[in-house]
Amino acid sequence: STFSHADVRVVDVASHDLQRAHRFARAFGIPTVSNDLFSLLRNPEVDAVYIANSTAEHAITAIAALEAGKAVLCEKPLEVSAREAGMAAETSRRMGKLCMEGIWTSFLPTYRRFLELARLKTCGQPSHLFADFGYPVGEDALLRLVPPAAADVLLDRGIYLVALALKVFGPVERVDARLRFNVHGVADHGSLQLSHSGGGQSQLSASFTSLMSNTAVLSCSGGNVQLERPLIGAETVSIHIMPGERNSPRDAALPLGPTQGVARRLRQSALLRRFKRALPRARREHLTFGPDKYLPQLEHFLALLKEGARESDIIPLELSLAAHRLIDQARASDQADPSR
């Protein structure tokens, strides 16, 4: 449905399961079903390939499509390791063909506004990013992630958070990770602490097993900016500006005038404190993504394709490579932890 909203003509579909491909083609009015990837890549009507097969096959599929002269939009994660991500990036640059990882959240109006507020220092100097994404999934969903699929919670969910952290604070100089593995040997819950080269810090958590807050909060010297839940698909940004400093411990020791005495007694009222908490304390901006949350990403990719661009300025290849290197470092950090 996303392709129909973008007025894109889908001309071919390929799958390991030919019956599944035929069902998909009938459901969406696709005229051609190919027996394999290479048949699809020989189709002269195909200008770009959207890769949505198993994670373990993303690398080989992307490289084959690029070498066939097709542009590539690949579902995240682009690859299962930084080494494979580097191979895909090298092929894209060698062939001069557009390749973009589908971290679709980065294209949402709320995310772009969040980053703009950080860049403009609307709430002061940004210093700390907290973001989490998690909710329990069933056993069937987890089985899709076990080998040979080769995915885990960092690749499937954490990559959204890692990309956001890199866009807010830039390169990372230290990664500390704690991962939990299920009976299949797949990391199903993980937390990352990132120390960025510019001085910022990011605290990221992703889970297949726990319901998290599903928000992102950027703490700054004069307030904070928040992507409200649901983080993955957010349509509301909150801006909290901290009021001027008051009621310091030193002030508490000074004699109270009549006005200050009344104010202090009012603050001691539980009912008034409850009323105050109920008042809106932030500016909220509602920024919709329209009829389809994946549409902004697809429209961006199509504009790049029309321009003949080789990379996205929102998700450039170097950002994808940095994210995959960071995830590799997180796994290594967890394995090297002597307390594990």
Side-chain angles (χ1 to χ4, degrees), residues 139-215:
E139 186 66 18
D140 289 344
L142 287 176
L143 286 174
R144 291 189 292 104
L145 302 168
V146 303
D152 62 13
V153 74
L154 294 183
L155 285 173
D156 190 81
R157 295 188 171 178
I159 195 164
Y160 294 115
L161 312 178
V162 168
L164 180 61
L166 289 172
K167 289 178 78 68
V168 170
F169 287 127
V172 172
E173 61 183 18
R174 177 174 173 176
V175 180
D176 295 300
R178 295 293 183 273
L179 303 178
R180 188 181 64 202
F181 296 83
N182 63 17
V183 295
H184 305 290
V186 175
D188 60 10
H189 185 101
S191 297
L192 308 182
Q193 185 77 33
L194 311 181
S195 298
H196 296 263
S197 303
Q201 291 190 330
S202 296
Q203 184 179 350
L204 314 175
S205 297
S207 181
F208 287 134
T209 61
S210 301
L211 178 62
M212 296 188 155
S213 71
N214 292 295
T215 59

Side-chain angles (χ1 to χ4, degrees), residues 256-275:
L256 294 177
T259 303
Q260 291 96 339
V262 171
R264 176 169 292 182
R265 286 192 294 274
L266 288 174
R267 287 196 296 272
Q268 292 172 349
S269 167
L271 182 61
L272 288 176
R273 290 198 303 271
R274 182 178 178 185
F275 176 75

Side-chain angles (χ1 to χ4, degrees), residues 25-275:
R26 285 194 299 270
F28 293 99
I30 301 171
T32 306
V33 174
S34 293
N35 292 328
D36 55 44
L37 171 66
F38 297 100
S39 297
L40 181 147
L41 295 178
R42 287 193 295 268
N43 187 336
E45 291 191 275
V46 174
D47 299 313
V49 177
Y50 177 60
I51 297 174
N53 53 3
S54 67
T55 300
E57 295 182 314
H58 283 185
I60 191 171
T61 307
I63 290 170
L66 291 164
E67 290 184 336
K70 313 296 184 183
V72 166
L73 173 58
C74 182
E75 273 196 1
K76 59 79 193 167
L78 179 60
E79 320 295 348
V80 297
S81 69
R83 182 184 66 83
E84 290 187 353
M87 292 168 59
E90 188 279 328
T91 305
S92 170
R93 289 162 176 163
R94 173 168 51 84
M95 298 300 298
K97 288 296 176 180
L98 173 63
C99 180
M100 190 180 88
E101 183 173 19
I103 305 177
W104 59 271
T105 52
S106 297
F107 300 89
L108 298 179
T110 46
Y111 277 68
R112 301 182 76 165
R113 177 61 171 154
F114 184 86
L115 293 170
E116 179 186 41
L117 292 167
R119 185 177 67 254
L120 295 175
K121 300 182 180 179
T122 301
C123 295
Q125 180 66 42
S127 60
H128 184 272
L129 174 69
F130 166 87
D132 63 15
F133 172 34
Y135 57 87
V137 300
E139 186 66 18
D140 289 344
L142 287 176
L143 286 174
R144 291 189 292 104
L145 302 168
V146 303
D152 62 13
V153 74
L154 294 183
L155 285 173
D156 190 81
R157 295 188 171 178
I159 195 164
Y160 294 115
L161 312 178
V162 168
L164 180 61
L166 289 172
K167 289 178 78 68
V168 170
F169 287 127
V172 172
E173 61 183 18
R174 177 174 173 176
V175 180
D176 295 300
R178 295 293 183 273
L179 303 178
R180 188 181 64 202
F181 296 83
N182 63 17
V183 295
H184 305 290
V186 175
D188 60 10
H189 185 101
S191 297
L192 308 182
Q193 185 77 33
L194 311 181
S195 298
H196 296 263
S197 303
Q201 291 190 330
S202 296
Q203 184 179 350
L204 314 175
S205 297
S207 181
F208 287 134
T209 61
S210 301
L211 178 62
M212 296 188 155
S213 71
N214 292 295
T215 59
V217 180
L218 180 62
S219 300
C220 309
S221 58
N224 65 55
V225 184
Q226 179 173 332
L227 284 168
E228 295 190 5
R229 69 179 64 173
L231 175 61
I232 308 303
E235 290 188 284
T236 304
V237 179
S238 297
I239 304 165
H240 303 250
I241 304 294
M242 189 172 65
E245 293 295 328
R246 59 186 179 183
N247 302 325
S248 69
R250 193 170 68 88
D251 293 337
L254 297 176
L256 294 177
T259 303
Q260 291 96 339
V262 171
R264 176 169 292 182
R265 286 192 294 274
L266 288 174
R267 287 196 296 272
Q268 292 172 349
S269 167
L271 182 61
L272 288 176
R273 290 198 303 271
R274 182 178 178 185
F275 176 75

